[in-house]
Amino acid sequence: MKVAVFVKQIPDPTGVGRLDPATHLLVRDGAELVLDPGDANGVEAALRVVEANGGEVVAITMGGERAAEVLRKAMAMGAGSAIHVADDRLRGSDALATARVLAAAVARSGCELVVAGTESTDGYTGTVPAAVAELLGWPALTFAKALEVDSGTVRIQRQTPAGHDVVEASLPAVVTVTGAINEPRYPSLRGIMAAKSKPLELLSLDDLGVPPDEVGLAGAGQEVISAAPAPERAAGELIEDDGSAARRIADYLAELKVI
Amino acid sequence: MGLILIAAEVAGGSPSPLTLELVSHARTLGDEVAVVVLDPEADAVLPALGAHGASRAYVGQERAYREHLGQPAAHVVSALVDRVRPALVLFPGTQEGRDLAARVSARLQLPVLANAIDVTGDGDDFLVRSSIFGATVDVVTRTRSRSPLVLVRPKSFTATASGGPPPVTEVLPLPAEAPLGARRLESVVAPSAGPGLEEAKVVVSGGRGMQEAANFEVLEHLARQLGGAVGASRAVVDAGWVPYALQVGQTGKTVKPDVYIACGISGAMQHLVGMKGSSHIVAINKDPDAPIFKLSDLGVVGDALKVVPALIEELRARGLS
Ligand SMILES: Cc1cc2nc3c(=O)[nH]c(=O)nc-3n(C[C@H](O)[C@H](O)[C@H](O)COP(=O)(O)OP(=O)(O)OC[C@H]3O[C@@H](n4cnc5c(N)ncnc54)[C@H](O)[C@@H]3O)c2cc1C
Ligand SMILES: Nc1ncnc2c1ncn2[C@@H]1O[C@H](COP(=O)(O)O)[C@@H](O)[C@H]1O
């Protein structure tokens, strides 16, 4: 079976995110760009599905030129091929436009299972995968902390506030995974070398037949009017524990009338 | 500003607290507040929704809404939005809410905004404030479409009763052609997943700095002494030390207690987003440069494995067992 995995390139989440004061778009220049850590779990989950069932993993991204780096990374981990949707007209696309593009890429790829992150680390809207599922008319099994595919049936443990639900659907389907699902493998040196010669298909909006006026800033149904640092909480007292810290905390709790 | 529609959620026979927050706030945004309640127990929650300001309710009580994820509800809610053309649709920012809003967005080609912490009217549009990058940046977005869809984070608004009567009800049948999709086979409740974290006045949270699962016992002891609940960072949830129910942060719970005590938690932005609304923050961390200290009212540079047991002793000496 062919399994698509969505991979997104994001500014290094351990750095501080910046927005361009004029466009209010995420500043990607100068920032270290990495594979979204949540999507690394997705790649690992997809690889395990084809290791158990046979088939191939196709990594898919939508993003600028440098986004090809995350496709190479996914292929270094073991994906067999990749699709890169890049088009200047996509700049500023919102979650819905992103979903339209990714859904079109999946349809073209012939995959019958899509694995994605539950939410991206930079945007964390968490709506792209379920919107892709709706556009394709497929079920979405979201928040998976365990995933199993067996003869046309996909079954997950869906993380819930109270524990987990066991959820099942027939393929084709979309699955989103949480960080708890696995420990992503590191690409081996051989994997990194092999990735260089794996097929990477570059597609434009025209290739996918997605109308340009429905994506990018032009298609966005909203407009960012300001982006400013959130009001900061001021830091208070900082003490070194010299054996008396417990007493200080207890006094503080007493001041607050918690005890 | 017309009609504000809210996708209500039912939890244990009542509207979820977040649903009541949304209904209450919607009164300030529109001329009329309507709810769509798709749940076998919908009947039971209508009076409470009315008492918070919903004057109309669209109701469906099929079991499919519990047994299947997202698709049946999306089918019915999309048709409703298309028919009544609300000025704005608010969804609870929960797992279910996200799946539903995403599908409605795709079906109707309407934009969806996530992680809202405030919504206000602006002429015919709405201004939606959301916090990104772990709540370090506030973004204000103006909606420019009909019926924008907005997912709201918990505790952004306060639930206040308006004393209204039960809403006028219309039953929405689930059409036979609606796809059912993914099916819930069973729900497993983790044994230690106690409720209360979101309501607790004191939250004692532990992170990777607690070193191992067994050390969460001292946090439980401290929480008990203070009449509070235990929370955790995602690092220790992913490590399997504690259940996901305890996770505080972007992908976990949002808490706003009187006091939040962070033990061995670095203060990653995805954690801060779930607790920075706490009235008072105490942090214990070995590293004087830990980001958590930037927002703590009382920071202790020290070993949590020593300070927490010492604090338990100190409280015991002050009469708290
Ligand atoms: C998409 C996404 C969503 C996420 N959602 C969440 C979320 O909802 N909630 C969440 O918490 N995280 C979330 N994270 C993870 C987050 O980025 C951090 O990795 C996580 O919060 C770190 O947990 P921690 O502070 O326990 O661990 P660490 O960052 O490893 O910090 C451990 C801290 O303990 C201190 N320490 C060590 N030993 C001791 C000791 N003996 N005494 C005192 N201090 C000690 C260290 O100095 C350090 O500061 C998310 C990440 C992503 C990518
Ligand atoms: N531009 C993109 N390219 C590839 N995958 C994406 C993109 N945007 C979102 N995704 C996928 O959708 C998941 C959720 O993203 P989001 O809905 O933006 O929070 C991510 O973890 C990715 O797997």
Side-chain angles (χ1 to χ4, degrees):
Chain A
M1 66 187 295
K2 270 174 104 174
V3 179
V5 63
F6 288 168
V7 287
K8 185 179 179 189
Q9 188 178 44
I10 64 162
D12 185 349
T14 56
V16 179
R18 276 190 307 133
L19 296 174
D20 185 308
T23 62
H24 306 304
L25 295 176
L26 202 58
V27 176
R28 289 172 193 273
D29 311 329
E32 177 100 22
L33 297 174
V34 299
L35 169 64
D36 191 316
D39 288 341
N41 293 107
V43 175
E44 179 65 39
L47 290 172
R48 291 187 193 183
V49 169
V50 299
E51 279 159 9
N53 292 268
E56 184 190 277
V57 173
V58 183
I60 300 179
T61 197
M62 174 188 119
E65 214 176 299
R66 287 190 58 191
E69 292 163 15
V70 298
L71 295 175
R72 292 286 171 209
K73 166 119 194 231
M75 290 193 287
M77 288 172 73
S81 64
I83 296 175
H84 183 181
V85 188
D87 200 306
D88 286 342
R89 293 167 293 182
L90 285 169
R91 203 173 149 71
S93 287
D94 61 9
L96 176 58
T98 305
R100 296 187 57 162
V101 167
L102 292 174
V106 170
R108 185 185 156 110
S109 74
C111 290
E112 50 180 330
L113 174 66
V114 173
V115 181
T118 293
E119 56 180 15
S120 58
T121 303
D122 60 343
Y124 63 97
T125 62
T127 54
V128 168
V132 167
E134 183 65 32
L135 291 167
L136 294 168
W138 295 2
L141 301 87
T142 48
F143 295 87
K145 60 172 190 156
L147 164 65
E148 213 179 293
V149 178
D150 185 24
S151 48
T153 300
V154 46
R155 184 183 284 213
I156 68 159
Q157 285 183 16
R158 180 180 208 247
Q159 208 157 69
T160 62
H164 72 261
D165 289 353
V166 179
V167 175
E168 194 181 89
S170 305
L171 291 175
V174 172
V175 171
T176 72
V177 301
T178 69
I181 193 168
N182 56 39
E183 203 50 66
R185 68 193 67 182
Y186 286 102
S188 65
L189 196 57
R190 240 182 75 211
I192 295 169
M193 296 312 291
K196 295 192 171 136
S197 54
K198 287 180 177 172
L200 191 162
E201 193 180 13
L202 186 62
L203 298 178
S204 69
L205 284 176
D206 306 322
D207 294 327
L208 288 174
V210 174
D213 56 333
E214 292 176 14
V215 296
L217 284 171
Q222 68 243 349
E223 169 193 11
V224 175
I225 58 170
S226 77
E232 292 243 2
R233 271 187 83 106
E237 181 186 348
L238 188 65
I239 60 171
E240 191 97 28
D241 180 34
D242 56 3
S244 68
R247 205 173 325 127
R248 179 70 194 96
I249 298 174
D251 288 345
Y252 184 63
L253 295 175
E255 272 169 50
L256 299 177
K257 303 202 165 33
V258 170
I259 56 171
Chain B
M1 288 281 299
L3 178 75
I4 314 292
L5 179 67
I6 291 145
E9 282 181 359
V10 176
S14 308
S16 75
L18 177 50
T19 298
L20 295 181
E21 291 160 24
L22 297 185
V23 173
S24 304
H25 184 67
R27 302 202 307 263
T28 69
L29 295 174
D31 307 322
E32 196 183 2
V33 180
V35 287
V36 51
V37 201
L38 303 177
D39 190 276
E41 289 182 303
D43 266 356
V45 305
L46 296 179
L49 292 168
H52 284 78
S55 56
R56 265 202 264 170
Y58 301 95
V59 173
Q61 307 219 73
E62 281 83 359
R63 290 221 55 83
Y65 298 122
R66 286 236 178 124
E67 282 167 8
H68 295 272
L69 300 192
Q71 274 177 293
H75 190 93
V76 170
V77 173
S78 298
L80 177 67
V81 170
D82 212 27
R83 169 162 65 97
V84 303
R85 303 269 165 151
L88 173 73
V89 190
L90 297 178
F91 294 86
T94 57
Q95 292 176 254
E96 261 60 39
R98 266 189 185 181
D99 285 358
L100 179 60
R103 282 187 181 275
V104 174
S105 159
R107 270 185 99 77
L108 300 178
Q109 299 293 312
L110 292 173
V112 57
L113 285 166
N115 293 306
I117 53 172
D118 196 11
V119 183
T120 50
D122 181 44
D124 285 340
D125 297 329
F126 293 91
L127 297 179
V128 178
R129 180 181 299 272
S130 43
S131 64
I132 60 170
F133 299 131
T136 55
V137 177
D138 274 3
V139 172
V140 178
T141 307
R142 178 182 291 120
T143 60
R144 314 191 289 216
S145 74
R146 67 180 167 90
S147 307
L149 314 174
V150 178
L151 281 154
V152 183
R153 287 194 65 89
K155 304 198 174 151
S156 299
F157 308 117
T158 312
T160 50
S162 64
V168 175
T169 301
E170 178 185 324
V171 174
L172 298 179
L174 177 62
E177 75 273 13
L180 295 173
R183 196 157 82 89
R184 254 189 201 99
L185 302 180
E186 100 185 92
S187 289
V188 178
V189 176
S192 51
L197 178 56
E198 284 157 299
E199 292 78 39
K201 296 266 182 244
V202 179
V203 172
V204 180
S205 263
R208 201 170 355 226
M210 292 307 292
Q211 310 295 340
E212 53 175 312
N215 291 331
F216 264 70
E217 269 172 37
V218 294
L219 301 184
E220 275 156 29
H221 191 139
L222 178 60
R224 224 170 23 247
Q225 278 178 313
L226 298 171
V230 173
S233 73
R234 173 161 140 185
V236 305
V237 171
D238 284 355
W241 296 0
V242 297
Y244 169 67
L246 301 195
Q247 183 173 317
V248 171
Q250 181 182 310
T251 35
K253 298 211 159 105
T254 302
V255 300
K256 289 192 175 176
D258 292 343
V259 187
Y260 188 87
I261 307 180
C263 309
I265 290 178
S266 60
M269 59 182 184
Q270 295 93 352
H271 186 78
L272 302 185
V273 73
M275 48 66 76
K276 70 179 242 167
S278 305
S279 309
H280 304 277
I281 297 171
V282 177
I284 306 165
N285 196 302
K286 274 216 290 227
D287 173 7
D289 296 323
I292 188 83
F293 287 137
K294 291 215 179 70
L295 69 165
S296 41
D297 300 286
L298 174 60
V300 173
V301 181
D303 184 348
L305 300 180
K306 292 204 183 104
V307 176
V308 177
L311 178 57
I312 290 173
E313 279 317 310
E314 180 69 29
L315 295 177
R316 196 176 272 145
R318 298 183 190 203
L320 295 168
S321 55

PDB file of all heavy atoms in Angstrom, chain B residues 271-293:
ATOM      1  N   HIS B 271       4.338  24.645  27.031  1.00  0.00           N
ATOM      2  CA  HIS B 271       3.830  24.418  28.390  1.00  0.00           C
ATOM      3  C   HIS B 271       3.218  25.717  28.936  1.00  0.00           C
ATOM      4  O   HIS B 271       2.126  25.708  29.493  1.00  0.00           O
ATOM      5  CB  HIS B 271       4.945  23.925  29.315  1.00  0.00           C
ATOM      6  CG  HIS B 271       4.444  23.547  30.671  1.00  0.00           C
ATOM      7  ND1 HIS B 271       3.802  22.351  30.915  1.00  0.00           N
ATOM      8  CD2 HIS B 271       4.440  24.215  31.848  1.00  0.00           C
ATOM      9  CE1 HIS B 271       3.433  22.308  32.187  1.00  0.00           C
ATOM     10  NE2 HIS B 271       3.812  23.425  32.777  1.00  0.00           N
ATOM     11  N   LEU B 272       3.929  26.818  28.716  1.00  0.00           N
ATOM     12  CA  LEU B 272       3.491  28.103  29.281  1.00  0.00           C
ATOM     13  C   LEU B 272       2.091  28.485  28.809  1.00  0.00           C
ATOM     14  O   LEU B 272       1.313  29.075  29.554  1.00  0.00           O
ATOM     15  CB  LEU B 272       4.482  29.211  28.899  1.00  0.00           C
ATOM     16  CG  LEU B 272       5.936  28.993  29.327  1.00  0.00           C
ATOM     17  CD1 LEU B 272       6.771  30.232  28.994  1.00  0.00           C
ATOM     18  CD2 LEU B 272       6.032  28.681  30.812  1.00  0.00           C
ATOM     19  N   VAL B 273       1.765  28.138  27.574  1.00  0.00           N
ATOM     20  CA  VAL B 273       0.481  28.553  27.026  1.00  0.00           C
ATOM     21  C   VAL B 273      -0.681  27.989  27.851  1.00  0.00           C
ATOM     22  O   VAL B 273      -1.750  28.576  27.913  1.00  0.00           O
ATOM     23  CB  VAL B 273       0.385  28.153  25.531  1.00  0.00           C
ATOM     24  CG1 VAL B 273       0.206  26.675  25.354  1.00  0.00           C
ATOM     25  CG2 VAL B 273      -0.697  28.892  24.829  1.00  0.00           C
ATOM     26  N   GLY B 274      -0.429  26.879  28.549  1.00  0.00           N
ATOM     27  CA  GLY B 274      -1.501  26.259  29.322  1.00  0.00           C
ATOM     28  C   GLY B 274      -1.585  26.721  30.758  1.00  0.00           C
ATOM     29  O   GLY B 274      -2.514  26.346  31.469  1.00  0.00           O
ATOM     30  N   MET B 275      -0.605  27.522  31.226  1.00  0.00           N
ATOM     31  CA  MET B 275      -0.625  27.880  32.645  1.00  0.00           C
ATOM     32  C   MET B 275      -0.292  29.337  32.950  1.00  0.00           C
ATOM     33  O   MET B 275      -0.322  29.769  34.082  1.00  0.00           O
ATOM     34  CB  MET B 275       0.294  26.949  33.465  1.00  0.00           C
ATOM     35  CG  MET B 275       1.700  26.705  32.943  1.00  0.00           C
ATOM     36  SD  MET B 275       2.816  28.113  32.904  1.00  0.00           S
ATOM     37  CE  MET B 275       3.245  28.274  34.640  1.00  0.00           C
ATOM     38  N   LYS B 276       0.015  30.116  31.894  1.00  0.00           N
ATOM     39  CA  LYS B 276       0.467  31.463  32.211  1.00  0.00           C
ATOM     40  C   LYS B 276      -0.650  32.383  32.693  1.00  0.00           C
ATOM     41  O   LYS B 276      -0.380  33.481  33.162  1.00  0.00           O
ATOM     42  CB  LYS B 276       1.251  32.081  31.055  1.00  0.00           C
ATOM     43  CG  LYS B 276       0.446  32.424  29.837  1.00  0.00           C
ATOM     44  CD  LYS B 276       1.377  33.051  28.822  1.00  0.00           C
ATOM     45  CE  LYS B 276       0.967  34.476  28.515  1.00  0.00           C
ATOM     46  NZ  LYS B 276       1.976  35.214  27.783  1.00  0.00           N
ATOM     47  N   GLY B 277      -1.890  31.916  32.621  1.00  0.00           N
ATOM     48  CA  GLY B 277      -2.995  32.687  33.184  1.00  0.00           C
ATOM     49  C   GLY B 277      -3.182  32.459  34.682  1.00  0.00           C
ATOM     50  O   GLY B 277      -4.089  33.026  35.284  1.00  0.00           O
ATOM     51  N   SER B 278      -2.320  31.644  35.292  1.00  0.00           N
ATOM     52  CA  SER B 278      -2.436  31.396  36.733  1.00  0.00           C
ATOM     53  C   SER B 278      -2.242  32.709  37.492  1.00  0.00           C
ATOM     54  O   SER B 278      -1.434  33.548  37.089  1.00  0.00           O
ATOM     55  CB  SER B 278      -1.366  30.396  37.190  1.00  0.00           C
ATOM     56  OG  SER B 278      -1.444  29.210  36.425  1.00  0.00           O
ATOM     57  N   SER B 279      -2.941  32.870  38.629  1.00  0.00           N
ATOM     58  CA  SER B 279      -2.818  34.127  39.372  1.00  0.00           C
ATOM     59  C   SER B 279      -1.413  34.267  39.961  1.00  0.00           C
ATOM     60  O   SER B 279      -0.852  35.354  39.991  1.00  0.00           O
ATOM     61  CB  SER B 279      -3.845  34.188  40.493  1.00  0.00           C
ATOM     62  OG  SER B 279      -5.116  33.912  39.987  1.00  0.00           O
ATOM     63  N   HIS B 280      -0.867  33.173  40.472  1.00  0.00           N
ATOM     64  CA  HIS B 280       0.476  33.228  41.079  1.00  0.00           C
ATOM     65  C   HIS B 280       1.247  31.992  40.634  1.00  0.00           C
ATOM     66  O   HIS B 280       0.685  30.908  40.567  1.00  0.00           O
ATOM     67  CB  HIS B 280       0.382  33.244  42.601  1.00  0.00           C
ATOM     68  CG  HIS B 280      -0.462  34.380  43.113  1.00  0.00           C
ATOM     69  ND1 HIS B 280       0.029  35.648  43.279  1.00  0.00           N
ATOM     70  CD2 HIS B 280      -1.768  34.441  43.453  1.00  0.00           C
ATOM     71  CE1 HIS B 280      -0.938  36.445  43.706  1.00  0.00           C
ATOM     72  NE2 HIS B 280      -2.042  35.731  43.814  1.00  0.00           N
ATOM     73  N   ILE B 281       2.538  32.189  40.355  1.00  0.00           N
ATOM     74  CA  ILE B 281       3.346  31.064  39.872  1.00  0.00           C
ATOM     75  C   ILE B 281       4.589  30.909  40.740  1.00  0.00           C
ATOM     76  O   ILE B 281       5.318  31.878  40.980  1.00  0.00           O
ATOM     77  CB  ILE B 281       3.737  31.267  38.389  1.00  0.00           C
ATOM     78  CG1 ILE B 281       2.477  31.292  37.508  1.00  0.00           C
ATOM     79  CG2 ILE B 281       4.693  30.159  37.925  1.00  0.00           C
ATOM     80  CD1 ILE B 281       2.717  31.695  36.072  1.00  0.00           C
ATOM     81  N   VAL B 282       4.778  29.695  41.228  1.00  0.00           N
ATOM     82  CA  VAL B 282       5.990  29.355  41.983  1.00  0.00           C
ATOM     83  C   VAL B 282       6.736  28.325  41.149  1.00  0.00           C
ATOM     84  O   VAL B 282       6.123  27.409  40.609  1.00  0.00           O
ATOM     85  CB  VAL B 282       5.627  28.737  43.365  1.00  0.00           C
ATOM     86  CG1 VAL B 282       6.889  28.317  44.118  1.00  0.00           C
ATOM     87  CG2 VAL B 282       4.804  29.725  44.190  1.00  0.00           C
ATOM     88  N   ALA B 283       8.058  28.494  40.999  1.00  0.00           N
ATOM     89  CA  ALA B 283       8.810  27.521  40.207  1.00  0.00           C
ATOM     90  C   ALA B 283      10.028  27.054  40.987  1.00  0.00           C
ATOM     91  O   ALA B 283      10.693  27.845  41.660  1.00  0.00           O
ATOM     92  CB  ALA B 283       9.237  28.133  38.881  1.00  0.00           C
ATOM     93  N   ILE B 284      10.286  25.756  40.883  1.00  0.00           N
ATOM     94  CA  ILE B 284      11.489  25.185  41.490  1.00  0.00           C
ATOM     95  C   ILE B 284      12.267  24.520  40.361  1.00  0.00           C
ATOM     96  O   ILE B 284      11.741  23.625  39.689  1.00  0.00           O
ATOM     97  CB  ILE B 284      11.136  24.131  42.566  1.00  0.00           C
ATOM     98  CG1 ILE B 284      10.173  24.731  43.597  1.00  0.00           C
ATOM     99  CG2 ILE B 284      12.408  23.596  43.230  1.00  0.00           C
ATOM    100  CD1 ILE B 284       9.484  23.692  44.468  1.00  0.00           C
ATOM    101  N   ASN B 285      13.491  24.988  40.140  1.00  0.00           N
ATOM    102  CA  ASN B 285      14.283  24.448  39.027  1.00  0.00           C
ATOM    103  C   ASN B 285      15.764  24.604  39.345  1.00  0.00           C
ATOM    104  O   ASN B 285      16.176  25.606  39.924  1.00  0.00           O
ATOM    105  CB  ASN B 285      13.928  25.194  37.730  1.00  0.00           C
ATOM    106  CG  ASN B 285      14.405  24.458  36.492  1.00  0.00           C
ATOM    107  OD1 ASN B 285      15.594  24.192  36.346  1.00  0.00           O
ATOM    108  ND2 ASN B 285      13.482  24.128  35.608  1.00  0.00           N
ATOM    109  N   LYS B 286      16.543  23.609  38.963  1.00  0.00           N
ATOM    110  CA  LYS B 286      17.984  23.638  39.220  1.00  0.00           C
ATOM    111  C   LYS B 286      18.714  24.708  38.429  1.00  0.00           C
ATOM    112  O   LYS B 286      19.769  25.180  38.828  1.00  0.00           O
ATOM    113  CB  LYS B 286      18.582  22.277  38.790  1.00  0.00           C
ATOM    114  CG  LYS B 286      18.512  21.224  39.853  1.00  0.00           C
ATOM    115  CD  LYS B 286      19.702  20.295  39.864  1.00  0.00           C
ATOM    116  CE  LYS B 286      19.830  19.333  38.724  1.00  0.00           C
ATOM    117  NZ  LYS B 286      20.133  17.957  39.108  1.00  0.00           N
ATOM    118  N   ASP B 287      18.127  25.041  37.272  1.00  0.00           N
ATOM    119  CA  ASP B 287      18.831  25.907  36.325  1.00  0.00           C
ATOM    120  C   ASP B 287      18.371  27.360  36.492  1.00  0.00           C
ATOM    121  O   ASP B 287      17.223  27.681  36.196  1.00  0.00           O
ATOM    122  CB  ASP B 287      18.517  25.394  34.908  1.00  0.00           C
ATOM    123  CG  ASP B 287      19.058  26.303  33.830  1.00  0.00           C
ATOM    124  OD1 ASP B 287      19.790  27.266  34.151  1.00  0.00           O
ATOM    125  OD2 ASP B 287      18.737  26.048  32.644  1.00  0.00           O
ATOM    126  N   PRO B 288      19.261  28.252  36.952  1.00  0.00           N
ATOM    127  CA  PRO B 288      18.831  29.645  37.170  1.00  0.00           C
ATOM    128  C   PRO B 288      18.347  30.324  35.886  1.00  0.00           C
ATOM    129  O   PRO B 288      17.623  31.315  35.945  1.00  0.00           O
ATOM    130  CB  PRO B 288      20.091  30.341  37.697  1.00  0.00           C
ATOM    131  CG  PRO B 288      21.233  29.416  37.443  1.00  0.00           C
ATOM    132  CD  PRO B 288      20.680  28.035  37.270  1.00  0.00           C
ATOM    133  N   ASP B 289      18.726  29.789  34.732  1.00  0.00           N
ATOM    134  CA  ASP B 289      18.310  30.398  33.465  1.00  0.00           C
ATOM    135  C   ASP B 289      17.055  29.750  32.883  1.00  0.00           C
ATOM    136  O   ASP B 289      16.674  30.038  31.739  1.00  0.00           O
ATOM    137  CB  ASP B 289      19.446  30.307  32.429  1.00  0.00           C
ATOM    138  CG  ASP B 289      20.658  31.103  32.860  1.00  0.00           C
ATOM    139  OD1 ASP B 289      20.446  32.184  33.448  1.00  0.00           O
ATOM    140  OD2 ASP B 289      21.792  30.646  32.652  1.00  0.00           O
ATOM    141  N   ALA B 290      16.409  28.858  33.611  1.00  0.00           N
ATOM    142  CA  ALA B 290      15.213  28.194  33.080  1.00  0.00           C
ATOM    143  C   ALA B 290      14.161  29.253  32.731  1.00  0.00           C
ATOM    144  O   ALA B 290      13.900  30.158  33.514  1.00  0.00           O
ATOM    145  CB  ALA B 290      14.656  27.205  34.106  1.00  0.00           C
ATOM    146  N   PRO B 291      13.555  29.140  31.539  1.00  0.00           N
ATOM    147  CA  PRO B 291      12.575  30.144  31.100  1.00  0.00           C
ATOM    148  C   PRO B 291      11.382  30.293  32.051  1.00  0.00           C
ATOM    149  O   PRO B 291      10.783  31.368  32.123  1.00  0.00           O
ATOM    150  CB  PRO B 291      12.097  29.625  29.737  1.00  0.00           C
ATOM    151  CG  PRO B 291      13.069  28.590  29.313  1.00  0.00           C
ATOM    152  CD  PRO B 291      13.828  28.123  30.510  1.00  0.00           C
ATOM    153  N   ILE B 292      11.077  29.253  32.799  1.00  0.00           N
ATOM    154  CA  ILE B 292       9.930  29.321  33.722  1.00  0.00           C
ATOM    155  C   ILE B 292      10.103  30.455  34.723  1.00  0.00           C
ATOM    156  O   ILE B 292       9.130  31.072  35.152  1.00  0.00           O
ATOM    157  CB  ILE B 292       9.731  27.957  34.462  1.00  0.00           C
ATOM    158  CG1 ILE B 292       8.437  27.924  35.267  1.00  0.00           C
ATOM    159  CG2 ILE B 292      10.889  27.630  35.393  1.00  0.00           C
ATOM    160  CD1 ILE B 292       7.221  27.585  34.480  1.00  0.00           C
ATOM    161  N   PHE B 293      11.361  30.780  35.064  1.00  0.00           N
ATOM    162  CA  PHE B 293      11.595  31.844  36.052  1.00  0.00           C
ATOM    163  C   PHE B 293      11.194  33.225  35.527  1.00  0.00           C
ATOM    164  O   PHE B 293      10.948  34.133  36.304  1.00  0.00           O
ATOM    165  CB  PHE B 293      13.063  31.867  36.488  1.00  0.00           C
ATOM    166  CG  PHE B 293      13.450  30.710  37.385  1.00  0.00           C
ATOM    167  CD1 PHE B 293      14.639  30.036  37.200  1.00  0.00           C
ATOM    168  CD2 PHE B 293      12.612  30.318  38.420  1.00  0.00           C
ATOM    169  CE1 PHE B 293      15.001  28.981  38.023  1.00  0.00           C
ATOM    170  CE2 PHE B 293      12.957  29.263  39.258  1.00  0.00           C
ATOM    171  CZ  PHE B 293      14.161  28.587  39.053  1.00  0.00           C
TER     172      PHE B 293
END
